[in-house]
Amino acid sequence: MRVDIISIFPEYFAPLDVSLMGKARERGILDIHLHQLRDWTHDVHNTVDDTPYGGGPGMVMKPEVWGEAVDAVIEDGRAARGEDALPRLIVPTPSGRPFTQEVALEYADEPWLLFAPARYEGIDSRVVAEYGERLRTDEVSIGDYVLAGGEAAVLVMVEAVGRLLPGVLGNARSVADDSFAPGAMANLLEGPVYTKPPVWRGHEVPEVLLSGHHGRIARWRRDEALRRTLDRRPELVARLDRDGLDKHDRRVIEEFEERLEERRSAAKSQAEPHAESQAEPHAAFRPGFRAAPEDVAD
Ligand code: JD8
């Protein structure tokens, strides 16, 4: 896979020289090209930004500079990959569509990705409009928090996509086991993990993991993953296809529900000792479940 990244901080991507991504590059699985955006400025100050039309805080990145840079990088890539090759343009922005494991799997099938991480208040919106007519162009966000620029988001996406490429992950782990990957443990969080020693500072490794009984171990791991998901990401449980849950899973959910009810009513009776806490069954098991934060076990 070819990856081009245009930024005013290309040095931000030094981490792509080490570890898994570094090896993927050495093996030629990942072909990453970094570009300094200022190389496409023509003034003595290498200006890439200007004041926003309509006023307001901060500065906006100039369309001309990005236009020249993206055109040049596409030409550069085409010289290497063939005249009809075109990249998928990915622009990180807090107002983008969520970047998920599903999107990572989609990008991993692409032969060529071009990332345009911005700074300041972002890039003049005509750039995405312009390339949206010529390329598959995505504005994506890696999460509901605000970064100072798009570079960190590109690092996250290149690693999430790069580790999915054939030959990158050793066979120790297959991506099929990933959380959020399609399949049995889809949309369940990873459960707890342990290694030697069997006792550490008085903390013991769960007996079942030392049993060598693969069936019980698999069941225990699934139960722990389900409990952790119910506790930390109940909205993911609601997304589980019910047919994928067996009787034991349902029991685990009911148990979790009962414990949650006990805690809720205990909290309620503490809060209002006289109020009759008419506990109603936990939403997780009501059709159309969507967990509200206050429902999550505190
Ligand atoms: C690109 C400029 C900073 C954003 C004014 C702060 C992604 N999940 C994410 N959070 N933040 C970003 C992101 C932030 C960026 C840029 C991505 C370019 N900024 C701006 C608007 C408000 N400053 C992101 N993916």
Side-chain angles (χ1 to χ4, degrees):
M1 169 188 282
R2 178 177 170 125
V3 171
D4 286 277
I5 305 171
I6 305 171
S7 165
I8 59 173
F9 299 125
E11 66 276 18
Y12 200 103
F13 299 98
L16 297 177
D17 296 337
V18 301
S19 179
L20 215 54
M21 296 307 111
K23 289 198 184 57
R25 296 175 79 178
E26 284 160 19
R27 292 201 203 115
I29 300 170
L30 256 186
D31 173 22
I32 298 179
H33 300 253
L34 303 177
H35 309 276
Q36 168 51 261
L37 178 69
R38 295 188 193 280
D39 291 352
W40 288 277
T41 61
H42 307 293
D43 65 306
V44 66
H45 301 297
N46 304 120
T47 306
V48 296
D49 62 314
D50 204 335
T51 53
Y53 273 125
M59 301 291 273
V60 173
M61 299 192 93
K62 296 164 64 65
E64 313 97 308
V65 181
W66 275 102
E68 285 189 42
V70 173
D71 287 354
V73 168
I74 290 174
E75 198 170 326
D76 188 35
R78 279 184 150 181
R81 306 181 64 81
E83 284 319 305
D84 54 2
L86 278 177
R88 185 159 183 173
L89 176 61
I90 301 164
V91 181
T93 166
S95 55
R97 298 184 193 291
F99 177 73
T100 62
Q101 189 66 10
E102 201 173 339
V103 176
L105 287 158
E106 191 184 323
Y107 287 172
D109 289 340
E110 294 285 345
W112 184 8
L113 301 177
L114 170 45
F115 290 96
R119 283 273 153 171
Y120 307 97
E121 301 308 306
I123 304 173
D124 182 298
S125 300
R126 290 169 288 181
V127 172
V128 163
E130 159 70 9
Y131 288 102
E133 293 154 9
R134 295 157 48 185
L135 309 173
R136 278 157 313 130
T137 300
D138 306 346
E139 291 187 284
V140 293
S141 167
I142 62 166
D144 297 341
Y145 39 81
V146 179
L147 301 168
E151 283 78 9
V154 171
L155 273 179
V156 165
M157 289 189 268
V158 169
E159 177 156 325
V161 172
R163 64 182 292 282
L164 297 172
L165 300 176
V168 171
L169 269 186
N171 52 23
R173 178 186 175 94
S174 86
V175 289
D177 307 335
D178 278 348
S179 284
F180 315 112
M185 300 290 270
N187 284 326
L188 286 182
L189 301 183
E190 307 281 342
V193 291
Y194 303 86
T195 185
K196 291 185 278 304
V199 183
W200 175 74
R201 295 187 182 179
H203 301 278
E204 297 181 354
V205 170
E207 190 57 38
V208 62
L209 296 179
L210 310 174
S211 69
H213 193 297
H214 300 305
R216 281 206 218 102
I217 290 169
R219 182 85 252 178
W220 179 87
R221 282 180 169 156
R222 183 177 174 79
D223 296 348
E224 286 300 307
L226 194 46
R227 290 191 188 101
R228 180 174 277 188
T229 310
L230 278 161
D231 189 29
R232 299 176 183 181
R233 300 286 304 279
E235 80 282 2
L236 293 178
V237 177
R239 264 191 241 149
L240 286 177
D241 59 1
R242 292 290 156 183
D243 316 337
L245 293 175
D246 62 20
K247 201 158 66 31
H248 185 110
D249 293 328
R250 293 172 185 286
R251 188 74 208 103
V252 167
I253 292 175
E254 281 154 16
E255 273 168 16
F256 179 88
E257 176 200 82
E258 284 145 15
R259 270 207 307 282
L260 197 59
E261 262 340 293
E262 288 147 14
R263 275 210 294 273
R264 274 164 56 112
S265 41
K268 269 204 176 77
S269 47
Q270 257 163 16
E272 327 122 9
H274 312 301
E276 195 42 48
S277 59
Q278 66 283 2
E280 74 198 42
H282 182 268
F285 229 59
R286 272 205 303 278
F289 163 68
R290 274 279 169 275
E294 69 279 1
D295 278 353
V296 174
D298 43 15

